[in-house]
Amino acid sequence: MTALTTAPRRGAAPTDVLRLHFSQRALLLRTPPGIMLVVFALTVIIAIIFWRVGSVPGSDEWVQNSRSNAAIFWALPGFFGWLGVQTVSLTFPLALSLGSTRRAFVAGTVLTHVVLSLYVTAMLLVLLAIELATGHWFFDIYMTDVWILGAGNPLQLAVTAFLGTLFVLSVGGAFAASWVRFGALGPMTLAAVSVISLGIVAIFLIPLAALFQPWWIALAAGVVIVLAVLAQYLFLRRASVR
């Protein structure tokens, strides 16, 4: 008589969740460069307009004004905020149906967000290198060599791009997780708590404004990212699959 044994089924690992998210490769990998291309085109058009009205490319005034261009910084958060919501709200039930645990799903989603943040950071670093090597696109056009990204400092650009992207994705994921857990009441309550918390923190930090250091922003972003990831897990741990 032969004994039949069956191997226990292995649950989905975080890397499996990562692959599930990246089944939408076109959306995840092509949209950010597309947004950057639109920003570049608009930046070129605006630069030409200023040139035609009398501004001198390369002058001190031109450089100062051009480096105040934060379009590349503000153009991406809308997409990544939506993507952070989508990676949780739409993928969560599918991942669980494919054998993922809730913990593995959160870990895989965080891993996905980290990979996307590194991807955006790498693209911006490449653009900065090209921008500097070509004398700002051959026409003193500033897109990545701007104040908000470090004015040509690759390290500051990398930190800003990585933390900024991960921040938006993580917060979007936390709001989506609150919706999965509590419905419409979840995001509204989370938003209210967030605003009140920010107000309290601001009250305590205002007296320290004179001591402000840029790294405080990086530290604050890191804290919010950790809290957002923790919120995702706590919300999804008891969430019903919709």
Side-chain angles (χ1 to χ4, degrees), residues 92-93 178-184 240-242:
F92 175 66
S178 70
W179 177 82
V180 173
R181 176 67 177 89
F182 298 107
S240 59
V241 179
R242 296 173 182 269

Side-chain angles (χ1 to χ4, degrees), residues 2-211:
T2 304
L4 298 178
T5 59
T6 57
R9 183 180 178 183
R10 180 182 69 88
T15 51
D16 297 320
V17 177
L18 172 68
R19 284 193 289 270
L20 178 61
H21 284 305
F22 271 88
S23 62
Q24 305 181 80
R25 290 183 184 86
L27 174 67
L28 271 59
L29 300 180
R30 295 179 186 175
T31 304
I35 294 174
M36 293 180 187
L37 182 60
V38 172
V39 170
F40 179 74
L42 292 175
T43 301
V44 170
I45 292 172
I46 293 172
I48 293 174
I49 291 173
F50 276 99
W51 172 57
R52 293 293 293 173
V53 298
S55 295
V56 180
S59 64
D60 290 341
E61 181 183 9
W62 177 282
V63 173
Q64 289 292 324
N65 291 335
S66 296
R67 278 186 166 160
S68 299
N69 172 26
I72 194 67
F73 182 82
W74 297 114
L76 292 170
F79 168 71
F80 284 115
W82 169 83
L83 188 61
V85 171
Q86 189 261 359
T87 52
V88 173
S89 61
L90 296 183
T91 313
F92 175 66
L94 177 59
L96 262 60
S97 69
L98 295 176
S100 172
T101 64
R102 296 162 193 266
R103 181 177 298 178
F105 173 77
V106 173
T109 301
V110 172
L111 181 60
T112 301
H113 292 171
V114 169
V115 170
L116 288 171
S117 300
L118 290 172
Y119 175 60
V120 171
T121 302
M123 282 193 297
L124 288 175
L125 285 172
V126 169
L127 288 174
L128 176 63
I130 296 173
E131 185 168 315
L132 296 178
T134 58
H136 298 91
W137 309 102
F138 306 104
F139 193 71
D140 288 298
I141 294 172
Y142 289 72
M143 187 175 78
T144 53
D145 181 9
V146 293
W147 298 121
I148 200 167
L149 294 179
N153 184 329
L155 178 60
Q156 186 171 337
L157 181 146
V159 172
T160 303
F162 178 78
L163 287 179
T165 305
L166 188 56
F167 175 93
V168 175
L169 286 166
S170 300
V171 171
F175 273 89
S178 70
W179 177 82
V180 173
R181 176 67 177 89
F182 298 107
L185 182 62
M188 289 190 295
T189 303
L190 183 58
V193 171
S194 299
V195 170
I196 293 172
S197 300
L198 286 174
I200 294 173
V201 170
I203 290 172
F204 282 100
L205 290 182
I206 286 175
L208 302 176
L211 304 175

